[in-house]
Amino acid sequence: MPQLRLALNQIDSCVGDLARNAETIVHWTRHAAGQGAHLVAFPEMALTGYPVEDLALRPSFVEASRAALSELAARLAAEGLGDVPVVVGYLDRCPQALPRYGRPAGAPQNAAAVLHRGAVALSFAKHHLPNYGVFDEFRYFVPGDTLPVVRVHGVDVALAICEDLWQEGGRVPAARRAGAGLLVSVNASPYERDKDDTRLELVRKRAQEAGCTTAYLAMIGGQDELVFDGDSIVVDRDGGVIARAPQFAEGCVLVDLELPAAAPEAPSGELDDGLRVDHVVLSAGPPVQAPAPPERLTPRPPSPYPPQTLGGQAERLDDLEEIYTALVVGLRAYVAKNGFRSVLLGLSGGIDSALVAALACDAVGAEQVHAIAMPSRYSSEHSIGDAAELARRTGLHFRTVPIGPMFDSYMAALGLTGLAEENLQSRLRGTLLMGLSNQEGHLVLAPGNKSELACGYSTLYGDSAGGYGPIKDVYKTVVYELARWRNEAAAARGTPPPIPEHTIDKPPSAELRPGQVDTDSLPDYAVLDRILELYVDRDRGHAEIVAQGFDAALVTRVLRLVDHAEYKRRQYPPGTKISAKGFGKDRRLPITNHWREGA
């Protein structure tokens, strides 16, 4: 049987940075070719970054993507890499009108191309377009109608893009009918908690349906609120795992595959879902010689892309480590890709700001993290002490600015009472943070968690002020779990736990009035989060939630808190998405809404 060395490159692309993305593709192609790869692949829309959103509707960007693709093909050939076929995702346009979809000629397409010997040997567009959760691909793209197949060293390789594997039908059964020996799917599938298990079972199932070895290549890095976790997978035709890449790691997965030789007669005609076979022969015979075993290369400091080869089956991260890593990667990507050098947060001594501070130190380094304590007359001594202790343990920059004089001036002028007086303290802190951000150039991090955002337990222009919310998709109970995990991980490594134990153990409080605790306004978080998970994440109604054993009056109260807080959530900054349904693109409800569950 022919042997094919496949190179799957888990890379981090930046939306709109065509030059940088092309440079990354050239680098990893050079690395893969040096390791004897016969076929090199990059993720979905690797050249443009993903998701491009409304950039897809700008003809100038579409044409820039097409031009960059042609330039990339020419450059690969000029650098002696042209004989290695390279699969690259990019943004294209459909040459013909598609009346069935009501779209004229030139409509955008989520596409990929096979680059070979200085030219585009074959191109194709995504067939199944997702239109759920964070995906709006029917808004932007028209589907492809081909089954692309390239013959590489005597093996027929079918190609697909992301959703082509997630949905039934289409290119997967078509690959079986075409007699493909290998199916390669390029993806930019965002991270979600527990998605790695779902992904593995999906790839196994699709390999069995396609009747051939199947490779699932995934992107890594972060883009706005999305995180990409890698976890590329190769399985045999029976679903047995051949290779599985690490999560959240950039690198090249090299896999030696023994695959069936292609039939003498090339596949042709129309297959499942009306797909038309588009077959191109790149190399008909086997390699001249078997490739040498791949080497593990050591990082070269002058290169911005330390080369590494990822092989075998990587050890999986446990659930909390996976979530924590996703939050770190998301924050790091947002800071770096948006040109910030440092971050700033209010450090209250509470659990939320403590976790955000730990994440920030792990994401960008403690020397780039600035924190400020802003005590009021209601701030407890232990909270002030906990904030200072966290700063000491982590080494972040720390200062204290009491808000008492500012608060007294406002109160003398306005005479606020009750909730307005409490919220004034939070808004003064938000103003201080934003002022320092303007003065010193830091990105302000908002500390709100998903439980608080769900119930509106935050102050507009106060604790919700900021440019990024690292834990906005993390329920309060998970905030505590992550804090404990981070401390335990530090202890296991022999380093100081970053979060003071007292911060984790004490009852949560905003400390805006004497003796205040969160449970004065909210149910116990262990109960609240279970109700929120059913209502927010699973779209369960009042009756269904009560049927799970929750008190009807409590459910009514919680659901009304959630519904009334929609206007606040619309004004909250972006933040890392880790759940199947985060606030924002995943969950879109009207602000003006008179429908009430359980009314």
Side-chain angles (χ1 to χ4, degrees):
M1 296 176 72
Q3 187 182 63
L4 199 67
R5 177 164 289 177
L6 176 65
L8 303 175
N9 293 282
Q10 293 190 165
I11 67 167
D12 178 11
S13 295
C14 181
V15 166
D17 197 342
L18 299 174
R20 172 191 177 276
N21 297 339
E23 189 67 36
T24 304
I25 291 167
V26 170
H27 166 81
W28 286 107
T29 300
R30 187 184 303 116
H31 168 65
Q35 296 287 284
H38 301 130
L39 178 63
V40 179
F42 292 90
E44 176 181 9
M45 300 192 87
L47 186 57
T48 57
Y50 183 89
V52 297
E53 299 184 317
D54 277 16
L55 283 175
L57 304 179
R58 294 187 186 178
S60 58
F61 186 63
V62 178
E63 291 309 311
S65 169
R66 287 163 54 86
L69 184 76
S70 298
E71 292 166 5
L72 176 61
R75 180 178 172 188
L76 291 171
E79 296 198 15
L81 304 171
D83 287 337
V84 182
V86 179
V87 183
V88 178
Y90 72 111
L91 177 64
D92 201 356
R93 56 176 169 77
C94 184
Q96 71 272 2
L98 293 178
R100 175 183 175 186
Y101 301 102
R103 305 293 289 276
Q109 289 187 307
N110 180 339
V114 180
L115 308 182
H116 190 237
R117 295 179 178 170
V120 176
L122 177 147
S123 64
F124 62 100
K126 195 177 198 174
H127 177 59
H128 287 311
L129 298 177
N131 214 57
Y132 53 85
V134 299
F135 305 108
D136 283 319
E137 297 210 3
F138 273 119
R139 171 182 171 86
Y140 303 116
F141 306 126
V142 292
D145 58 4
T146 65
L147 174 69
V149 181
V150 291
R151 186 162 294 181
V152 180
H153 292 305
V155 176
D156 275 348
V157 181
L159 301 169
I161 302 176
C162 202
E163 194 72 9
D164 293 339
L165 254 66
W166 288 89
Q167 290 191 31
E168 300 286 343
R171 284 180 172 142
V172 172
R176 175 185 282 274
R177 287 191 58 193
L182 173 66
L183 172 61
V184 176
S185 176
V186 298
N187 308 270
S189 178
Y191 168 80
E192 291 172 9
R193 187 175 181 176
D194 300 325
K195 193 174 185 178
D196 55 334
D197 296 329
T198 303
R199 185 183 292 143
L200 175 60
E201 292 310 309
L202 171 79
V203 177
R204 283 175 162 162
K205 178 181 178 182
R206 295 298 187 243
Q208 293 165 359
E209 292 172 354
C212 64
T213 298
T214 298
Y216 179 99
L217 166 60
M219 184 179 284
I220 61 119
Q223 173 62 35
D224 293 344
E225 296 188 292
L226 302 183
V227 175
F228 303 97
D229 60 324
D231 190 28
S232 297
I233 304 168
V234 182
V235 303
D236 63 27
R237 60 180 299 162
D238 298 318
V241 178
I242 298 171
R244 192 166 186 186
Q247 297 162 281
F248 306 104
E250 185 168 38
C252 172
V253 182
L254 284 171
V255 190
D256 287 335
L257 302 170
E258 287 193 356
L259 301 167
E265 186 174 339
S268 62
E270 189 172 292
L271 305 174
D272 298 71
D273 283 5
L275 294 174
R276 182 185 71 259
V277 175
D278 188 2
H279 186 275
V280 175
V281 177
L282 301 180
S283 49
V288 175
Q289 61 182 23
E295 300 174 357
R296 285 190 174 275
L297 303 184
T298 56
R300 299 188 180 105
S303 171
Y305 314 102
Q308 59 177 317
T309 298
L310 312 171
Q313 295 190 39
E315 184 178 347
R316 316 311 301 155
L317 304 180
D318 66 37
D319 190 37
L320 290 175
E321 183 178 9
E322 180 184 282
I323 295 171
Y324 191 90
T325 305
L327 296 173
V328 168
V329 169
L331 176 56
R332 179 187 296 138
Y334 193 85
V335 171
K337 291 181 178 180
N338 288 285
F340 291 96
R341 293 186 299 274
S342 56
V343 299
L344 171 68
L345 70 149
L347 199 56
S348 67
I351 188 67
D352 296 320
S353 64
L355 179 61
V356 170
L359 288 165
C361 289
D362 290 335
V364 301
E367 66 280 2
Q368 304 302 331
V369 179
H370 297 254
I372 179 169
M374 298 167 282
S376 73
R377 68 182 67 174
Y378 303 121
S379 299
S380 61
E381 287 299 322
H382 63 72
S383 291
I384 299 171
D386 288 344
E389 175 63 12
L390 184 146
R392 186 191 68 79
R393 294 186 185 190
T394 59
L396 58 75
H397 300 280
F398 181 67
R399 63 188 119 172
T400 300
V401 179
I403 64 169
M406 291 173 271
F407 179 76
D408 292 340
S409 295
Y410 269 84
M411 290 299 293
L414 299 175
L416 302 177
T417 60
L419 185 60
E421 178 185 358
E422 293 178 23
N423 287 344
L424 174 60
Q425 299 167 69
S426 181
R427 290 187 173 119
L428 287 171
R429 291 173 175 137
T431 300
L432 266 173
L433 289 168
M434 296 311 299
L436 287 172
S437 172
N438 289 157
Q439 181 72 25
E440 301 174 2
H442 312 299
L443 171 68
V444 176
L445 303 181
N449 61 67
K450 192 171 185 176
S451 305
E452 294 172 350
L453 266 65
C455 296
Y457 192 60
S458 63
T459 303
L460 279 179
Y461 325 119
D463 56 329
S464 63
Y468 199 74
I471 61 171
K472 70 174 289 187
D473 199 27
V474 183
Y475 283 120
K476 187 80 168 191
T477 49
V478 181
V479 168
Y480 280 101
E481 291 174 5
L482 291 173
R484 294 188 183 97
W485 176 88
R486 181 61 182 86
N487 276 6
E488 291 167 2
R493 292 197 298 266
T495 58
I499 302 174
E501 291 71 18
H502 185 258
T503 297
I504 298 174
D505 295 337
K506 67 186 177 184
S509 170
E511 295 192 331
L512 298 176
R513 63 175 183 268
Q516 182 185 29
V517 291
D518 287 5
T519 49
D520 294 341
S521 303
L522 297 174
D524 182 80
Y525 283 114
V527 176
L528 174 64
D529 286 355
R530 289 164 57 203
I531 296 174
L532 292 175
E533 197 271 336
L534 290 168
Y535 188 51
V536 174
D537 295 55
R538 300 192 191 183
D539 286 314
R540 298 293 188 262
H542 183 277
E544 294 172 286
I545 299 173
V546 171
Q548 294 283 322
F550 295 97
D551 177 75
L554 176 62
V555 173
T556 299
R557 177 188 166 206
V558 171
L559 269 52
R560 288 184 177 174
L561 286 172
V562 175
D563 292 345
H564 282 298
E566 185 63 32
Y567 78 101
K568 284 189 176 183
R569 289 189 291 271
R570 294 284 186 94
Q571 300 179 69
Y572 203 81
T576 308
K577 166 183 154 63
I578 63 162
S579 72
K581 184 163 282 193
F583 290 123
K585 291 182 182 179
D586 279 326
R587 187 178 187 273
R588 312 177 202 185
L589 291 172
I591 294 174
T592 304
N593 175 16
H594 287 226
W595 167 255
R596 293 288 175 261
E597 284 283 347

